[in-house]
Amino acid sequence: MFKPVALFIGLRYTRTRKKSQIISFVSIVSTLGITVGVLALIVVLSVINGSTSTMRDETLKSVPHASIADGNGMASQWPDLLAAVQNHPQVLGAAPYMEGEGWLRYDGGGEFIQIRGVDPVHESDVLQVESPGFEMLLERLAEAENGIILGLSVANRLGMYQGDEVTLMSLNSLIGRNLSDVMKFRVVGAADFGFYGNNNTVMIGLPAAQDLFGDAETGLVNAAQDVHLRLRVTDVFNAGLIAQDALNSLPTELASNQLAASSWSETQSSLFDALRLEKTLTGFMLLMIVVIGAVNIVSTLVMVVADKSADIAILRTMGASRATIMTVFVTQGTTVGIFGTALGAVLGVLLSRNLTRVMQGIESIMNAAFSPDDVYMITYLRAELRVDDVVLICISALAVSFLATLYPAYRATRIQPAEVLRYE
């Protein structure tokens, strides 16, 4: 079978060590360095992906996939617009809503909250909370005259239960000291609005929200707090494009230059931009482990070049070109990188796919070794393995390994056969 001379010699140098124990040790260390670096990159980035997905899922419990707003307000036109938007094939559901800040007071205490007015009939079409209890609360909200659903944290902090009576006031009324705008509501229950919504979100009926945020004298609502449409779409990562396409598909009589679409990725951009930056910086720092392994490849090849200088001189006298000599040592160093990268990738993928079970084992050991039990809770770690991350990590590790071979290989080509063989 045909095998290039440079490749054959390079692989032969990789396998044989003879009396060069130091070279063998450094080569093993460099392989382990690359393996650990690739393993750490895959596992850590998988954990960051899992954390980001969890944050996204929790955020979308209270934040719409996409929303449509009218700069002039759509207090009375929203039913026609909702019916038209729902005809779009990529829109799973649509519902009207209002949002604004307010003051909630109960039993002598109170706090600032985010008030969301919804239509209980349509809200179930865009519901992101996978809980049958939430739909039951929406039914109670539809039946109650002035009902209110509290976020879990709000209900716990203020000690409120079903049937309790609270008072609400919009922030504008509070600033203007219009005490006549205070409205009373009765608690119909507490619900999970997601990790970022439970702390300060409450839900009331849409008519009550219009009364709460409307001007008592004119009956008008500020455009920023007017009715918007909340959309649930088939692809959350392209929610903005889908919402804009739904607007472009509206009939002529409903189309308006004042209509604008926005997606969750725009309204929550600061949070997810920070997470992407964290992932990038973490990956860059962990890549330094691979670079350290590559530095050991440089050390290994420099020692091999010094040890094999006579062999290199003989090859040159037999007609081997500088390119052939360079390819020999590039092959040797790259082989170490390939082996380390492959081993790290396999171990990283296996650990990422079984991270929860591994964490459960570590947690059990720690709780058994230390007292009291059930203190060390680390099994909540969620890993999301992505093929594109694994491919990018492997390519980066191989590229670093290849670059590390160039200088020692170049030094090997500078050896002068006459000077080396003069004393042989």
Side-chain angles (χ1 to χ4, degrees):
M1 182 179 67
F2 173 75
K3 183 183 294 185
V5 174
L7 179 62
F8 173 78
I9 297 174
L11 294 176
R12 182 69 178 267
Y13 280 175
T14 303
R15 295 194 305 268
T16 58
R17 286 292 175 256
K18 294 183 181 179
K19 55 187 179 182
S20 305
Q21 296 181 358
I22 296 178
I23 297 177
S24 300
F25 176 76
V26 176
S27 180
I28 292 173
V29 169
S30 61
T31 303
L32 291 178
I34 295 174
T35 299
V36 171
V38 172
L39 168 65
L41 274 167
I42 292 176
V43 173
V44 173
L45 294 189
S46 296
V47 171
I48 292 177
N49 291 336
S51 300
T52 303
S53 296
T54 299
M55 290 182 180
R56 182 175 59 250
D57 294 341
E58 291 296 318
T59 300
L60 292 178
K61 288 182 180 179
S62 57
V63 176
H65 289 180
S67 60
I68 296 176
D70 192 326
N72 296 326
M74 60 171 79
S76 57
Q77 295 86 359
W78 67 262
D80 295 333
L81 187 60
L82 182 144
V85 168
Q86 284 181 318
N87 291 328
H88 194 278
Q90 292 179 288
V91 175
L92 299 176
Y97 77 102
M98 295 180 68
E99 274 191 337
E101 296 178 337
W103 174 258
L104 181 145
R105 186 171 180 82
Y106 169 73
D107 196 21
E111 58 182 79
F112 291 102
I113 55 169
Q114 189 76 16
I115 303 170
R116 186 190 310 162
V118 302
D119 182 349
V121 176
H122 294 94
E123 186 67 14
S124 58
D125 296 335
V126 296
L127 197 63
Q128 293 296 301
V129 181
E130 297 179 359
S131 171
F134 206 135
E135 296 186 2
M136 183 179 64
L137 289 177
L138 289 176
E139 294 176 2
R140 292 180 187 171
L141 185 64
E143 297 170 357
E145 182 178 354
N146 265 3
I148 183 172
I149 301 174
L150 307 173
L152 293 174
S153 297
V154 175
N156 290 334
R157 282 200 308 271
L158 298 180
M160 290 183 287
Y161 300 92
Q162 183 178 343
D164 289 343
E165 190 175 82
V166 300
T167 57
L168 281 183
M169 177 185 289
S170 68
L171 186 59
N172 290 337
S173 297
L174 181 63
I175 294 174
R177 298 185 179 181
N178 298 324
L179 301 181
S180 59
D181 294 341
V182 174
M183 295 180 63
K184 293 184 178 181
F185 291 84
R186 189 166 297 279
V187 177
V188 299
D192 178 15
F193 292 126
F195 182 79
Y196 301 100
N198 285 329
N199 196 48
N200 65 343
T201 302
V202 301
M203 184 180 289
I204 61 177
L206 187 61
Q210 290 175 314
D211 292 339
L212 184 67
F213 293 117
D215 190 305
E217 296 181 359
T218 63
L220 299 177
V221 180
N222 187 299
Q225 295 175 331
D226 197 12
V227 178
H228 305 318
L229 290 185
R230 171 177 179 168
L231 306 184
R232 183 183 180 190
V233 299
T234 54
D235 183 3
V236 295
F237 298 104
N238 292 309
L241 296 176
I242 294 174
Q244 188 60 49
D245 187 57
L247 284 182
N248 296 336
S249 304
L250 289 175
T252 307
E253 60 272 15
L254 294 177
S256 170
N257 293 331
Q258 297 298 321
L259 290 174
S262 61
S263 66
W264 65 273
S265 58
E266 297 170 351
T267 58
Q268 305 295 314
S269 60
S270 57
L271 171 62
F272 290 96
D273 285 346
L275 291 174
R276 280 191 289 269
L277 180 60
E278 178 186 9
K279 179 180 178 180
T280 301
L281 293 178
T282 302
F284 179 77
M285 288 187 292
L286 291 176
L287 187 61
M288 293 300 103
I289 301 176
V290 178
V291 172
I292 293 173
V295 170
N296 288 326
I297 292 179
V298 176
S299 303
T300 302
L301 291 182
V302 167
M303 289 188 288
V304 170
V305 169
D307 186 56
K308 302 292 185 181
S309 57
D311 295 356
I312 296 170
I314 293 173
L315 288 172
R316 290 299 310 277
T317 58
M318 293 175 64
S321 65
R322 292 180 183 271
T324 300
I325 300 300
M326 191 167 186
T327 303
V328 168
F329 292 98
V330 168
T331 299
Q332 182 179 357
T334 304
T335 301
V336 173
I338 292 174
F339 183 76
T341 300
L343 182 59
V346 171
L347 294 177
V349 170
L350 290 176
L351 183 56
S352 297
R353 293 178 66 88
N354 298 278
L355 187 63
T356 301
R357 277 178 284 185
V358 172
M359 291 297 102
Q360 286 175 344
I362 295 175
E363 180 183 319
S364 300
I365 294 173
M366 295 180 68
N367 285 327
F370 300 96
S371 182
D373 293 344
D374 301 327
V375 172
Y376 301 95
M377 304 289 291
I378 55 178
T379 56
Y380 64 88
L381 281 177
R382 172 185 171 186
E384 182 179 312
L385 187 65
R386 295 181 181 173
V387 176
D388 54 343
D389 282 345
V390 175
V391 172
L392 180 60
I393 291 169
C394 291
I395 291 176
S396 300
L398 292 175
V400 170
S401 301
F402 172 75
L403 293 175
T405 66
L406 297 181
Y407 173 70
Y410 172 76
R411 285 193 56 180
T413 65
R414 307 305 299 172
I415 291 178
Q416 298 297 326
E419 293 182 4
V420 173
L421 297 177
R422 179 181 302 170
Y423 303 104
E424 291 292 332

